[in-house]
Amino acid sequence: MKKKVAVVKVQSPHDIRWNLPGYVSRAFGFLGKRFDVLNDINGNPFMPQLTPYYLAALGMQADTTGQYSFEVIDTEPGKINLSGYDMAWITCSTTTAPLVYNLADTAQMQGVEVVLGGIHPSMRPEEALLHASSVAIGEAESIVPQLLRDFLNGGLREKYQGERRGELRGLPTPAWELANPGYTKWVLPMQTSRGCGNACPYCSTTRFEGAERRHRPIEEIIAELQGYVETGRLTDSVAIFFTDNDCVADTDHRKGLFDTTYSKSLFRELIQFRDRTNVNFGWVGQGEINLADDPELLELMARSGCTKILIGYESLAQNNMQEHSKSGNDVERYAQQTQNIHDYGIDIIGCFIVGLPFDDPGVFERTRLFIRDNVIDVPQISVPTPYPRTKFYRDAEGEGRIFDRDWSRYDITHVVMHPECKTEDGSVMTAQQLDNSYVNLARQVYSWPEMLSRCGKTALRRVVHDYNPRSRVDRFVSTLATNWVYRQLGRVGR
């Protein structure tokens, strides 16, 4: 009998489920087929998770003798029962850690061998081991085959240290066939690279994936897309989400590096692929504001289907940029760079952190006005959050500023540490003052009048270089949907 492996993603309140209120469906039903897609994904998370389906595919690839069966369980904790499985691989982020630990404790009492992996167990393996048989640290490709062999031989190790592959060649296609039919009808995640040379103090990417940039062979990315077209998973109404920390450039702020050699080659191949298959899918990714200074790059992004790009503006104070090793960001040029991106028909998911050391009480209103005046299509507003093993965490811990150890609140929307920013009288702002100001700003930015105004301006925006024509309805619906998700995220736990 085959050994049963459950690959588990515990959905938390941060996995915003797409449940359209009836009045919204009735109000916007006139928008037609594009809005129908949102009805098709009702009940599913807005953002599908790549990790569990990729882990299942890794397991299938490594199980060369056919001694295992794999099932993905991707749902809320109350609906998960691991009794009857031989082994459970549970992926864990910092915000899901409390839910994951509770599930893992129950599974172990049921006789299930539990392996915890992901960013949080990799950063805090000793903590994770209190709730598991084993902890998988780092990247999974080298761990999974050994894990399967050890289990058959009767003994898992406490820790498995993953190796960073120098070349991301031969990665399996995620086992999306294990997902429910509506899971990827709106967004389909893919990865093209790993690693980040920037080592920003508040980000754990460099610690987890390394500073070296590693890429998948472009021909393998195109082959994966071809498979999705052939199976009907990739259509005109689906957006590819490149999960890479930066799919646009290989960067290192400390060295002034901004290398677009790989990304430009990828985008050229995507243009040809779209033309060859006649499937006009869009894509969304993450990049840096300086991409706005390269017209050739912007054209290739637009022609290859880029509809939205997530940009870390981070702060409107240049001193904060210097403090957080993002000196490549020039605050004085933000408005023009934003316009450059918009001129190519690319919408912006703009990320802002309020409550940084050089902020003052005016930062909240300045941020609101910048978002409004520059029509940041989808704003993401956050507070400083000290993720484990980042420099930001070490500094705050050493200074005794962290006061909240509830990992579920480490979601960039809750204040878990005493801030360093100042009040009007020059005293240090309290955590409660920062939280109140953040909540007030979020309520303004994500109010229905503000969201509808932004989405209307996005839909009516004049595109100077329209290499990827989209209807006004498409622009309005996709932008409103994403704004709604960020609105909901800011309300989790409040």
Side-chain angles (χ1 to χ4, degrees):
M1 182 179 295
K2 291 186 177 184
K3 301 294 185 182
K4 295 177 62 179
V5 179
V7 185
V8 183
K9 164 65 173 76
V10 180
Q11 291 181 14
S12 76
H14 299 90
D15 293 286
I16 300 299
R17 285 179 169 272
W18 191 253
N19 290 304
L20 281 178
Y23 70 88
V24 175
S25 294
R26 290 190 295 273
F28 294 104
F30 70 92
L31 293 174
K33 292 183 178 179
R34 189 57 175 146
F35 201 77
D36 288 344
V37 175
L38 298 181
N39 287 314
D40 289 341
I41 65 170
N42 247 7
N44 285 299
F46 181 83
M47 180 56 68
Q49 295 299 304
L50 175 69
T51 300
Y53 300 93
Y54 179 68
L55 286 174
L58 278 178
M60 295 174 188
Q61 184 185 64
D63 181 27
T64 56
T65 57
Q67 298 187 71
Y68 289 91
S69 65
F70 297 87
E71 179 181 343
V72 172
I73 300 175
D74 182 5
T75 190
E76 298 143 334
K79 298 179 180 179
I80 300 175
N81 182 1
L82 296 177
S83 177
Y85 290 94
D86 298 290
M87 186 163 43
W89 300 349
I90 310 179
T91 182
C92 178
S93 66
T94 298
T95 51
T96 62
L99 294 176
V100 165
Y101 291 163
N102 285 337
L103 176 65
D105 291 343
T106 300
Q108 287 198 109
M109 288 189 290
Q110 294 171 328
V112 181
E113 293 278 11
V114 173
V115 182
L116 295 182
I119 185 70
H120 192 76
S122 294
M123 297 299 104
R124 298 181 66 87
E126 301 303 329
E127 174 187 292
L129 263 177
L130 299 175
H131 308 276
S133 310
S134 299
V135 174
I137 302 169
E139 298 179 8
E141 286 83 6
S142 64
I143 294 175
V144 167
Q146 187 64 51
L147 198 61
L148 296 181
R149 289 193 296 268
D150 287 352
F151 186 78
L152 287 178
N153 292 331
L156 295 179
R157 307 173 192 176
E158 281 195 344
K159 297 178 183 177
Y160 291 85
Q161 180 64 59
E163 300 173 3
R164 291 176 184 148
R165 297 173 60 156
E167 185 181 30
L168 302 180
R169 182 177 295 276
L171 304 186
T173 298
W176 295 118
E177 67 274 11
L178 301 180
N180 70 62
Y183 194 68
T184 59
K185 279 195 171 183
W186 175 262
V187 178
L188 181 58
M190 286 184 70
Q191 60 176 327
T192 72
S193 66
R194 296 178 189 167
C196 180
N198 292 329
C200 296
Y202 48 79
C203 180
S204 54
T205 298
T206 303
R207 171 72 66 176
F208 187 60
E209 297 183 359
E212 180 187 359
R213 287 284 288 165
R214 297 164 289 146
H215 304 102
R216 290 181 67 189
I218 292 174
E219 64 270 19
E220 293 189 8
I221 296 170
I222 298 301
E224 183 174 332
L225 290 170
Q226 182 65 46
Y228 294 148
V229 170
E230 292 173 357
T231 57
R233 192 170 293 279
L234 181 57
T235 65
D236 291 352
S237 62
V238 174
I240 295 292
F241 172 53
F242 292 125
T243 61
D244 319 21
N245 191 64
D246 189 333
C247 71
V248 176
D250 297 341
T251 63
D252 187 331
H253 295 148
R254 297 163 295 182
K255 299 177 181 178
L257 178 67
F258 192 83
D259 185 351
T260 59
T261 305
Y262 175 84
S263 63
K264 286 181 177 179
S265 296
L266 172 61
F267 299 153
R268 289 188 183 101
E269 290 298 321
L270 289 177
I271 292 167
Q272 294 182 30
F273 179 77
R274 279 162 45 103
D275 290 344
R276 185 171 65 251
T277 60
N278 199 32
V279 179
N280 294 315
F281 62 90
W283 64 265
V284 179
Q286 304 178 80
E288 299 197 4
I289 189 66
N290 293 331
L291 66 87
D293 301 329
D294 186 340
E296 180 190 27
L297 177 62
L298 287 168
E299 178 179 338
L300 289 171
M301 290 171 63
R303 290 178 59 203
S304 63
C306 180
T307 59
K308 286 183 175 61
I309 192 75
L310 185 145
I311 298 287
Y313 292 87
E314 316 303 6
S315 175
L316 299 180
Q318 193 64 43
N319 285 344
N320 283 326
M321 295 294 90
Q322 303 295 131
E323 177 84 4
H324 287 84
S325 305
K326 295 201 74 169
S327 55
N329 282 31
D330 183 350
V331 172
E332 294 299 319
R333 300 182 60 238
Y334 277 178
Q336 183 58 59
Q337 289 174 313
T338 299
Q339 184 63 54
N340 292 351
I341 297 169
H342 281 159
D343 281 349
Y344 283 82
I346 299 170
D347 304 333
I348 296 174
I349 303 172
C351 303
F352 302 86
I353 306 173
V354 292
L356 291 171
F358 291 97
D359 284 341
D360 57 44
V363 66
F364 306 99
E365 181 65 6
R366 287 195 299 273
T367 302
R368 185 188 72 82
L369 292 176
F370 182 89
I371 289 168
R372 185 199 67 184
D373 295 345
N374 293 280
V375 193
I376 303 301
D377 309 273
V378 183
Q380 181 202 75
I381 306 169
S382 62
V383 293
T385 304
Y387 284 107
R389 291 192 68 187
T390 60
K391 182 179 183 303
F392 200 46
Y393 180 91
R394 292 195 304 272
D395 291 347
E397 180 81 330
E399 295 162 2
R401 293 194 292 117
I402 299 176
F403 63 83
D404 194 333
R405 306 288 173 169
D406 179 355
W407 296 126
S408 70
R409 292 170 57 82
Y410 282 59
D411 60 358
I412 72 175
T413 69
H414 288 87
V415 179
V416 297
M417 58 185 283
H418 297 291
E420 297 178 283
C421 52
K422 302 295 192 294
T423 62
E424 290 179 352
D425 63 9
S427 61
V428 177
M429 191 176 290
T430 67
Q432 189 61 58
Q433 286 173 322
L434 174 57
D435 187 68
N436 291 344
S437 297
Y438 167 79
V439 169
N440 182 58
L441 173 61
R443 284 177 177 165
Q444 293 179 73
V445 169
Y446 299 120
S447 68
W448 279 106
E450 285 289 316
M451 290 196 301
L452 291 172
S453 174
R454 273 197 304 277
C455 295
K457 291 175 181 177
T458 297
L460 297 173
R461 179 184 295 133
R462 176 177 174 268
V463 178
V464 178
H465 310 288
D466 202 359
Y467 295 106
N468 182 33
R470 291 187 289 152
S471 71
R472 299 194 189 283
V473 168
D474 177 83
R475 286 181 178 278
F476 182 85
V477 171
S478 64
T479 307
L480 180 59
T482 316
N483 269 277
W484 180 84
V485 169
Y486 279 107
R487 170 187 164 98
Q488 298 304 106
L489 283 170
R491 297 184 171 200
V492 172
R494 295 192 183 277

